[in-house]
Amino acid sequence: MASPAWHYVLKFIITGDAAVGKSSLLVRLTDQRFLANPDPTLGVEFGSKLITLPDAEGTVVKLQCWDTAGTESFRSITRSYYRGAAGCLLVYDITSRRSFDNVRTWLADVRAHADAHVSCILVGNKSDLCEGEEARERAVPTEVAEQFAKEEGLLFTEASARSGAGVEDAFIRAATEVLSKV
Ligand code: GDP
């Protein structure tokens, strides 16, 4: 018998302030592209992607990812968005302290509405902006975010939807944690 195309289907959600790069991370994951000027009113809502975990079995996971698609400014994210989520990316922008401070609120929302066992990874996006010769000042030191993640029991990474650095890895790490609980 042919092996199945995937072993697990997991729902992932992507939360965080407006403009931190949630849609861009989703587009990068599913389409290997970066849009410099995405239309904020046409946020990407959904994307699906097969990923292979770096485990001995080469487990293939079908990720079904939902983005808030602009509704974060209205705080109108409904229960159905969180329902059944196995994994969650809590995204902030490393050049915006405010977006990092607001992660607490997003995390509280996730804890209030998602299943108790949801695996969360804190993602400091836009790492490309703080690298190279024209680097901008970073507003959130890596160690500060790392410490927060540790205290809250979250995985942590920095990533760039623009360069692609760390993006697939963030999903892989969260999916690996999800399956370690199965
Ligand atoms: P969302 O509102 O959280 O979904 O954010 P978007 O994905 O719409 O991105 C907001 C803005 O940040 C857009 O202008 C993106 O092009 C830009 N952006 C997103 N990710 C990155 C990144 O990794 N690096 C840089 N330099 N810009 C990014």
Side-chain angles (χ1 to χ4, degrees):
M1 210 169 79
S3 55
W6 59 82
H7 302 101
Y8 297 92
V9 178
L10 300 179
K11 175 177 171 179
F12 266 57
I13 54 177
I14 308 179
T15 61
D17 276 7
V20 295
K22 299 180 300 298
S23 300
S24 301
L25 288 166
L26 183 53
V27 170
R28 168 59 71 186
L29 176 79
T30 57
D31 226 12
Q32 290 90 45
R33 275 187 309 140
F34 176 72
L35 305 172
N37 297 301
D39 183 340
T41 61
L42 291 177
V44 184
E45 287 181 12
F46 176 77
S48 179
K49 162 97 173 168
L50 289 182
I51 56 166
T52 304
L53 301 186
D55 57 10
E57 297 79 25
T59 304
V60 179
V61 176
K62 182 171 185 162
L63 291 180
Q64 297 190 324
C65 300
W66 294 87
D67 164 32
T68 51
T71 55
E72 69 278 70
S73 10
F74 308 106
R75 286 230 154 262
S76 64
I77 301 171
T78 58
R79 248 172 199 286
S80 61
Y81 175 69
Y82 293 103
R83 194 179 301 129
C88 173
L89 268 68
L90 286 161
V91 186
Y92 66 95
D93 170 349
I94 66 168
T95 68
S96 160
R97 178 72 201 200
R98 188 189 158 88
S99 73
F100 175 70
D101 292 341
N102 285 340
V103 165
R104 279 188 191 282
T105 314
W106 292 108
L107 180 58
D109 250 31
V110 172
R111 293 207 166 126
H113 301 299
D115 301 344
H117 59 261
V118 64
S119 290
C120 295
I121 183 162
L122 177 66
V123 179
N125 189 38
K126 308 196 186 181
S127 61
D128 60 283
L129 291 179
C130 300
E131 292 162 355
E133 284 180 5
E134 285 168 41
R136 269 204 230 166
E137 208 160 314
R138 155 194 287 276
V140 185
T142 306
E143 308 75 51
V144 169
E146 213 161 31
Q147 183 60 30
F148 172 74
K150 205 167 155 190
E151 285 165 8
E152 296 292 342
L154 312 170
L155 297 165
F156 168 67
T157 191
E158 288 182 352
S160 167
R162 183 175 188 178
S163 73
V167 177
E168 191 163 317
D169 188 55
F171 287 92
I172 286 177
R173 286 179 56 204
T176 300
E177 187 178 280
V178 171
L179 295 185
S180 72
K181 298 177 190 166
V182 172

